[in-house]
Amino acid sequence: MLCFTKYQAADLSAIELQDHQQHIRDDDPAGYRAVAEQIALAPSYTIWHAAHQRPLAIISTPVVAPGRVMCCTLLSRDAAQHLLGITRIVQNGLQRISARRIEAVTQSNFEQGNKWLKLLGFQLEGTMRSYDYRGKDFNLYSIVRG
């Protein structure tokens, strides 16, 4: 059974990130702690496996401009086993966001991330070349209302 709670900075230390996101923690531990604090400033939630009390996902939706929200998701290595439940919780949360535009990005060559964003209802807008500090390309997705 899955449940979700309001995010707390300690949740980021407790999550075992999926391999594709592990670089976030490994490349810059001080920066990772700063990320934990930044996530806490935005509307953010942690999805838990109730029996194991381990975080499966952290979802943050900071407002980046009036009427525009960025959906940021960190998934654990165990998330794939619970992806249907996580997807339903995130879809429900996305429906409650009143912003006209919700954006999300994922690495262009990360097939599972691209598929999941489409499943959540995001539409591909394009590729942002050399988007992150490592020079990796990312795809920009959005949900636009009205």
Side-chain angles (χ1 to χ4, degrees), residues 65-133:
R68 191 171 141 223
V69 167
M70 178 64 76
C71 181
C72 307
T73 306
L74 296 172
L75 294 174
S76 81
R77 325 178 161 260
D78 300 327
Q81 303 167 51
H82 307 282
L83 203 54
L84 179 60
I86 293 169
T87 299
R88 288 181 176 158
I89 291 170
V90 173
Q91 285 174 325
N92 188 21
L94 290 172
Q95 290 174 357
R96 295 171 186 264
I97 294 174
S98 61
R100 183 162 192 241
R101 179 180 175 86
I102 305 170
E103 298 175 350
V105 299
T106 191
Q107 196 169 325
S108 296
N109 66 354
F110 184 36
E111 188 176 331
Q112 297 94 324
N114 285 279
K115 284 182 180 180
W116 193 55
L117 288 175
K118 290 175 185 175
L119 181 65
L120 288 170
F122 286 90
Q123 294 184 353
L124 178 64
E125 290 196 341
T127 300
M128 299 178 293
R129 303 283 178 222
S130 194
Y131 179 73
D132 76 352
Y133 67 94

Side-chain angles (χ1 to χ4, degrees), residues 36-80:
E37 294 167 7
Q38 289 297 313
I39 292 171
L41 297 175
S44 303
Y45 299 90
T46 302
I47 299 173
W48 299 85
H49 187 283
H52 300 111
Q53 284 301 303
R54 286 193 318 247
L56 294 171
I58 295 172
I59 315 297
S60 183
T61 55
V63 174
V64 293
R68 191 171 141 223
V69 167
M70 178 64 76
C71 181
C72 307
T73 306
L74 296 172
L75 294 174
S76 81
R77 325 178 161 260
D78 300 327

